[in-house]
Amino acid sequence: MRNTDALTGIDELLSVCHQVKEIKKGDFLFREGDLTEGISIIRSGKIRIEKVTPDGRELTLKICGPGQLVGEVTIFSDASKYVLDARAIEDAVYLQISIKDLEEAMQSNGRLAIAFMKWMGIDQQKTQTKFRDLLLHGKKGALYSTLIRLSNSYGIEKEKGILIDMVLTNQDLANFCGMTREVVNRMLADLKKKDILSVDEGKILVHNLGYLKTETNCENCPVYLCKID
């Protein structure tokens, strides 16, 4: 269940003029308010897309890994600014494509234009399904759906369940859900008591994914939409 799917049409994007860059863990790829420069394709490492609220709380929207696009692009329009932060949670290497080069390539390459529009559409659908779970099912829906998405993105089948192959603190989960760490602590303790999951060395092993899906009235969306990335 690990996410190994590359963006459809990624080869087309790689044919566009680009720069290879590196970023260290903890550094920002871009900050809210910066002018939009283009898109980035992650070659290695992970980038977290996040929003800092006026009261200082961090909300994690997604984590992007190898083969995925990062950026907020309004193509063929006036200059725009980023409305989110992108921060490396691991040392990363990425390819950067400027808006100008992307627009010129799309005008001459129909396959690239279609692939890029498909990516934008899927990304929007992912956002919509996440906010649906947050709004319709409250705190439980927020945490349970996050665990389901993490399982779909970074899950490895084990004898006793699905191992989310990523070290996550309770604060990390709280940032995904827009909740306090104390609330997540209580909810995780309840899930452990019911033997729905367990935690070993910071990694979550989900023993009963079906329970999480039932409790959130899972609509069995395609897996590519039900991911954290």
Side-chain angles (χ1 to χ4, degrees):
M1 298 178 70
R2 180 186 291 275
N3 180 19
T4 57
D5 297 329
L7 171 72
T8 300
I10 193 72
D11 290 340
E12 299 290 341
L13 279 171
L14 293 178
S15 68
V16 180
C17 179
H18 60 265
Q19 295 179 299
V20 179
K21 296 188 175 183
E22 298 181 1
I23 184 171
K24 296 295 184 182
K25 178 180 178 180
D27 289 345
F28 287 89
L29 184 60
F30 54 78
R31 300 295 303 268
E32 180 179 357
D34 291 345
L35 286 175
T36 304
E37 297 180 346
I39 61 170
S40 300
I41 305 171
I42 302 175
R43 177 176 284 179
S44 64
K46 293 184 179 69
I47 303 292
R48 180 169 62 203
I49 308 301
E50 58 191 19
K51 174 77 174 181
V52 179
T53 64
D55 60 0
R57 291 189 299 115
E58 294 181 1
L59 176 63
T60 300
L61 299 179
K62 60 182 177 180
I63 294 177
C64 300
Q68 293 183 298
L69 295 182
V70 177
E72 304 167 28
V73 182
T74 305
I75 54 176
F76 303 110
S77 64
D78 295 334
S80 60
K81 295 182 179 181
Y82 292 109
V83 298
L84 301 169
D85 294 334
R87 178 162 49 177
I89 57 176
E90 298 176 354
D91 290 349
V93 177
Y94 63 97
L95 312 180
Q96 188 172 54
I97 301 174
S98 71
I99 292 179
K100 179 182 177 181
D101 289 333
L102 178 61
E103 290 177 344
E104 290 178 353
M106 290 178 66
Q107 288 177 320
S108 60
N109 186 334
R111 291 176 59 185
L112 171 62
I114 291 172
F116 189 75
M117 287 188 290
K118 181 176 181 180
W119 169 74
M120 292 181 67
I122 291 175
D123 194 59
Q124 184 180 44
Q125 286 181 289
K126 287 181 179 180
T127 301
Q128 289 174 340
T129 58
K130 180 173 182 177
F131 281 115
R132 175 199 64 196
D133 292 339
L134 291 173
L135 293 173
L136 293 182
H137 304 295
K139 295 178 180 179
K140 182 170 69 175
L143 178 60
Y144 291 11
S145 65
T146 294
L147 292 170
I148 293 170
R149 285 178 166 80
L150 286 166
S151 297
N152 288 337
S153 293
Y154 299 103
I156 299 176
E157 294 282 356
K158 296 289 184 178
E159 182 179 351
K160 295 184 178 180
I162 299 171
L163 176 69
I164 299 175
D165 192 23
M166 174 185 292
V167 175
L168 294 162
T169 66
N170 288 5
Q171 185 61 59
D172 290 331
L173 290 173
N175 291 349
F176 275 116
C177 304
M179 299 188 295
T180 65
R181 180 172 54 84
E182 290 73 19
V183 171
V184 170
N185 290 347
R186 291 195 296 270
M187 296 177 71
L188 287 178
D190 182 61
L191 290 173
K192 292 176 185 177
K193 185 177 180 180
K194 294 177 180 178
D195 198 31
I196 304 302
L197 57 77
S198 57
V199 180
D200 183 24
E201 297 183 351
K203 293 186 178 182
I204 298 172
L205 179 63
V206 180
H207 304 297
N208 191 342
L209 189 65
Y211 174 87
L212 300 178
K213 290 184 175 182
T214 298
E215 289 295 302
T216 54
N217 296 318
C218 177
E219 298 179 5
N220 291 314
C221 299
V223 172
Y224 71 84
L225 290 181
C226 190
K227 289 187 172 185
I228 209 70
D229 45 30

